[in-house]
Amino acid sequence: MNHDDLRHWSKRAADWAHDYHAGLRDRPVRAALTPGAIAAQLAAAAPEAAEPMDTIFADFERIVPPGMTHWQHPRFFAYFPANAAPASMLAEQLVNAIAAQGMLWQTSPAATEIEQVMVQWLRAALGLPEGFSGTIHDSATTATLSAVLTMREKALGWAGLQQGLSGLPRLRLYASAETHSSVDKAARLSGIGQDNLVKIPTGTDFAMKPGALAGAIQADCDAGFLPVGVVLCAGGTSIGAFDRIADCIAVAHSAGLPLHVDAAWAGSAMICPEFRPLWAGVENADSIVFNPHKWLGAQFDCAVQFLRDPGQQIRTLGLRPTYLETTGHEEITNFNEWTVPLGRRFRALKLWFLMRAYGLNGLRARIRNHVAWARELAQVLATLPGVQITTQPSLSLFSFALGSDAETEALLTRVNDDGRVYLTQTRHQGRLVIRVQVGQFDCTRDDVMMVAQVVKEMT
Ligand SMILES: *Cc1c(COP(=O)(O)O)cnc(C)c1O
């Protein structure tokens, strides 16, 4: 296959993509397969001789779509969304065509500069003050790890990077149990250790108790431990919990600790001013992550981290060996120094296309609909016999359950085997509950109300 053939097949792929999206409502949302069913259809080894593209494409059409869970299905209500607005898909197509690697300004000046401007567009769109800069990571997990590594090194006076951690004081990191497992992963990978991630108790509102945070930091200091920082939850993955950001930041900062806010999912909603009270005080955070690839519509992957003082993270993550020097351009930004990997994709183009093609107003209208429809759906589900709403909608996420865990699990299995909608579970206050999040880019009110219809039929 050469570039002339690629032109032909790209057009075929574009037509295929259009038909795939147009037919999504007729497919089951979740792949209905037994493990191993796809692998069994593939050849045992790579071919020695080239195969015709017709054969390869036909195999793709036959094997792959039935083997997928369809994340762009308008009735995908599981996990959180991984939206791909058509305009962002087009940008990804162009990025694929250029196929550049943006580790340095010099290796892709447009990628670096569009990334800088898109971070500022998003900062303003979310209502954050000037003074934050930022970068794009692959995932919120990587952004949170970067923030925690920076906290660690700041606490150690940048000694850990050089000497390793042995012989240094025992480090402590603070978060509530509602934060995502990526915070646990960051504690583990940063050498802080799971046992030193202190899970601060939450109140009846599922928010970290600021007084308990202050007490834990003080107790650790008295015990000779070294607190490094606090991670707050702005829209937890399980049931959408929000910490009281302003109060917790005040506690952290009065103890001299930096603070990172994980708004991976809920950050997108902050383009709507009416939701910003949920994270009031966030303007005083040191680091904030949110994933435009979840709710906003930027095709996976795209996680934006805002930083008050990027110099600290660059000092932690940046290295500049001779082969990465860009002589004569010492003042420019080389984004590899802000992130864990060296190589980086051109992720900013899809943000540029996304925000321009829909406008912030178009993106806001979708999010407002999702929140309104989630509330309406929760009210309808609450009227069904045996159904209990276990957590009220936090933005567009709520949970419900039947009388016992066994009944709830059996319902979830029936609903997902049916295939018209896709829901997933979590454990909340010891109880198995079914999560519903509304956020798919193309979903309609009818798609959302289908959840009530299916649950009614299956209970
Ligand atoms: C999804 C999610 C994450 C992890 O996001 P990745 O980008 O997949 O690493 C972290 N925190 C919260 C609150 C999330 O919803």
Side-chain angles (χ1 to χ4, degrees):
M1 185 175 199
N2 60 28
H3 282 280
D4 292 329
D5 301 326
L6 176 60
R7 177 176 20 204
H8 166 76
W9 285 102
S10 296
K11 289 176 180 166
R12 270 287 296 274
D15 288 339
W16 183 89
H18 178 270
D19 295 347
Y20 168 74
H21 281 270
L24 272 177
R25 279 193 181 81
D26 300 327
R27 294 180 185 266
V29 189
R30 191 180 72 167
L33 288 172
T34 46
I38 299 299
Q41 297 179 67
L42 307 184
E48 294 294 338
E51 295 187 63
M53 190 46 66
D54 277 308
T55 313
I56 301 170
F57 202 91
D59 283 348
F60 163 78
E61 289 188 282
R62 183 171 55 83
I63 297 172
V64 177
M68 296 304 293
T69 292
H70 302 289
W71 283 73
Q72 306 314 320
H73 196 300
R75 295 193 295 267
F76 182 102
F77 304 108
Y79 307 101
F80 281 134
N83 279 331
S88 86
M89 298 178 98
L90 179 62
E92 284 286 69
Q93 215 175 317
L94 299 172
V95 165
N96 281 341
I98 298 172
Q101 207 272 56
M103 59 188 180
L104 305 170
W105 176 84
Q106 190 71 75
T107 65
S108 296
T112 299
E113 294 184 18
I114 295 175
E115 181 162 337
Q116 289 174 307
V117 176
M118 288 309 104
V119 166
Q120 289 307 321
W121 280 21
L122 285 170
R123 176 197 60 70
L126 267 55
L128 295 171
E130 283 177 23
F132 280 102
S133 52
T135 190
I136 305 179
H137 298 261
D138 55 350
S139 66
T141 300
T142 318
T144 296
L145 174 62
S146 303
V148 169
L149 288 168
T150 304
M151 289 174 177
R152 184 194 80 187
E153 282 309 303
K154 184 167 184 268
L156 293 173
W158 279 272
L161 293 171
Q162 199 65 40
Q163 301 167 22
L165 300 182
S166 58
L168 292 173
R170 186 162 171 180
L171 307 172
R172 304 285 267 183
L173 179 68
Y174 308 87
S176 92
E178 293 293 333
T179 49
H180 187 264
S181 58
S182 55
V183 181
D184 301 71
K185 192 178 269 192
R188 291 166 176 234
L189 297 185
S190 63
I192 292 171
Q194 183 80 60
D195 291 349
N196 294 310
L197 171 57
V198 183
K199 297 277 173 87
I200 304 297
T202 53
T204 48
D205 54 357
F206 315 124
M208 178 190 290
K209 290 179 177 163
L213 174 64
I217 294 170
Q218 187 57 53
D220 282 348
C221 290
D222 294 346
F225 300 157
L226 182 59
V228 304
V230 181
V231 180
L232 293 183
C233 172
T237 309
S238 185
I239 52 107
F242 278 84
D243 288 327
R244 283 151 54 191
I245 308 286
D247 294 345
C248 294
I249 294 184
V251 169
H253 282 176
S254 74
L257 297 182
L259 189 133
H260 171 71
V261 175
D262 178 4
W265 161 66
S268 294
M270 303 308 170
I271 62 172
C272 306
E274 69 269 31
F275 300 132
R276 292 181 196 155
L278 286 169
W279 74 350
V282 73
E283 63 279 3
N284 293 315
D286 301 285
S287 168
I288 305 162
V289 65
F290 98 104
N291 283 355
H293 76 225
K294 280 187 170 162
W295 203 355
L296 200 64
Q299 177 158 3
F300 186 81
D301 51 5
C302 187
V304 171
Q305 183 190 17
F306 298 106
L307 287 160
R308 174 172 301 288
D309 175 10
Q312 297 184 352
Q313 190 156 310
I314 293 168
R315 191 168 169 193
T316 305
L317 301 179
L319 279 177
R320 203 177 285 184
T322 309
Y323 48 79
L324 294 177
E325 281 172 4
T326 48
T327 314
H329 288 299
E330 278 71 25
E331 79 292 355
I332 44 88
T333 294
N334 292 319
F335 271 128
N336 80 80
E337 297 173 0
W338 299 48
T339 59
V340 175
L342 171 61
R344 53 204 331 272
R345 306 202 316 110
F346 183 2
R347 297 193 184 88
L349 194 72
K350 58 195 167 195
L351 289 170
W352 196 39
F353 275 45
L354 176 76
M355 285 187 269
R356 297 180 65 192
Y358 305 94
L360 291 175
N361 269 334
L363 299 175
R364 284 186 196 107
R366 282 182 172 78
I367 284 173
R368 286 176 175 139
N369 278 338
H370 297 160
V371 171
W373 296 336
R375 288 178 184 155
E376 189 181 348
L377 175 63
Q379 281 168 8
V380 175
L381 283 175
T383 66
L384 300 182
V387 173
Q388 295 160 22
I389 301 301
T390 42
T391 55
Q392 292 300 322
S394 168
L395 296 169
S396 65
L397 169 67
F398 66 93
S399 67
F400 70 96
L402 300 183
S404 71
D405 282 4
E407 286 173 276
T408 303
E409 191 174 353
L411 170 65
L412 184 63
T413 303
R414 281 197 297 277
V415 166
N416 289 334
D417 286 348
D418 172 82
R420 279 172 289 172
V421 305
Y422 182 23
L423 307 174
T424 47
Q425 75 292 331
T426 189
R427 193 161 285 281
H428 180 64
Q429 297 182 320
R431 188 171 180 192
L432 187 76
V433 301
I434 300 176
R435 293 168 77 259
V436 183
Q437 69 74 24
V438 178
Q440 210 285 324
F441 204 75
D442 295 322
C443 78
T444 62
R445 185 179 164 279
D446 285 350
D447 289 318
V448 176
M449 292 307 144
M450 179 76 84
V451 173
Q453 179 63 36
V454 174
V455 169
K456 192 175 171 185
E457 289 173 29
M458 302 288 154
T459 38

